[in-house]
Amino acid sequence: MLRRLALPALCALLACQPASAREVSTRTWVEDGVTWTETTTVEVFEPGSERIVGLTRADVQGVASFGPFEVLDGTRAALVAETDSYSPADFQKMLRAHPGIRVLEMPDCPGTVDDFANLRLGRMIRAQGIATHVPEHGSVRSGAVELFLAGATRSAAPDASFVVHAWLDEDGREPDDFAANDPVNRAYVDYYREMGLPADKAAAFYALTNSVPHEDVLMLGTGDLQKFAALN
């Protein structure tokens, strides 16, 4: 079920918003007996390359929130928003508070605004032996696909969708602007190998993600992804 779409068309379907990372700070003070609270939101420059499709946070309410993660219960968490440079630390905080988490559900995952941090997060998921699962009608897009592949075991509903496209760095360059064996390209193939994909499948999957430019997307079904990575 390979389908190529222009990114604006998919964004219209997903009600996309501009990609950005935000740092929120709050300060409280007392003046003339009145307590004041000020909240400041700052746009944060992310040094890593960007791969993201849609920014609306998934409508999932857990028992606790840690950045893009919602804790669902003692053994399950959900990724419900884009990842950024703070996400590895958010993940660590979540596991310290809820060490029993064994499954990361991915109902609606738009991607990342920092690929470097995203790959680091994927390695952390794998190191913890956490499984990844895409439920019915789930959508895993762009950089979030790397996190799905990080699962110690991976499963997805038959109607799950996966969206891939080329990354874009802060200078507007894409994978084809570098040699195939350049470290920036090798980093992704090496990551797929670490996540258990055979060498030929890892190279083929990376080539598939780069077969469409950043401004377009390629939609894959569960069966399509299963040609490259083992699913339960």
Side-chain angles (χ1 to χ4, degrees):
M1 192 195 70
L2 297 172
R3 293 178 58 200
R4 180 170 177 172
L5 294 175
L7 187 54
L10 184 60
C11 283
L13 292 174
L14 297 171
C16 288
Q17 302 171 19
S20 62
R22 298 172 179 85
E23 181 175 344
V24 180
S25 61
T26 302
R27 69 185 184 98
T28 302
W29 71 97
V30 177
E31 183 177 323
D32 297 330
V34 178
T35 300
W36 299 85
T37 300
E38 177 184 76
T39 300
T40 303
T41 302
V42 179
E43 298 295 324
V44 179
F45 171 73
E46 300 291 349
S49 53
E50 173 187 298
R51 278 182 305 149
I52 191 165
V53 179
L55 258 180
T56 302
R57 190 178 181 93
D59 186 18
V60 175
Q61 186 64 50
V63 298
S65 300
F66 296 85
F69 301 101
E70 289 282 338
V71 177
L72 303 178
D73 55 37
T75 61
R76 297 179 304 133
L79 178 64
V80 297
E82 78 280 2
T83 65
D84 58 25
S85 58
Y86 300 100
S87 298
D90 292 330
F91 181 75
Q92 289 178 320
K93 292 175 184 175
M94 179 178 70
L95 290 188
R96 281 198 296 268
H98 302 273
I101 290 174
R102 307 312 306 154
V103 178
L104 181 65
E105 296 198 358
M106 307 182 74
D108 187 8
C109 306
T112 186
V113 293
D114 185 344
D115 249 351
F116 299 154
N118 197 61
L119 296 182
R120 188 162 67 251
L121 175 59
R123 291 184 171 98
M124 293 167 65
I125 292 170
R126 174 55 68 101
Q128 291 294 327
I130 291 175
T132 52
H133 174 66
V134 185
E136 288 186 0
H137 313 305
S139 174
V140 177
R141 305 184 294 280
S142 203
V145 175
E146 271 71 48
L147 301 183
F148 173 73
L149 293 175
T153 61
R154 303 175 286 251
S155 59
D159 66 349
S161 64
F162 300 86
V163 174
V164 299
H165 60 165
W167 49 261
L168 183 75
D169 72 11
E170 63 270 20
D171 296 317
R173 296 173 298 184
E174 299 190 16
D176 288 346
D177 293 315
F178 299 86
N181 62 349
D182 189 277
V184 72
N185 280 319
R186 289 298 315 170
Y188 292 90
V189 178
D190 291 345
Y191 174 85
Y192 298 143
R193 294 284 289 114
E194 290 179 46
M195 299 306 123
L197 275 66
D200 59 335
K201 300 291 187 181
F205 184 69
Y206 187 54
L208 179 67
T209 67
N210 296 331
S211 66
V212 290
H214 182 75
E215 66 268 17
D216 291 342
V217 295
L218 186 66
M219 295 188 66
L220 311 176
T222 298
D224 298 318
L225 191 62
Q226 203 163 15
K227 296 174 183 177
F228 301 93
L231 306 184
N232 288 353

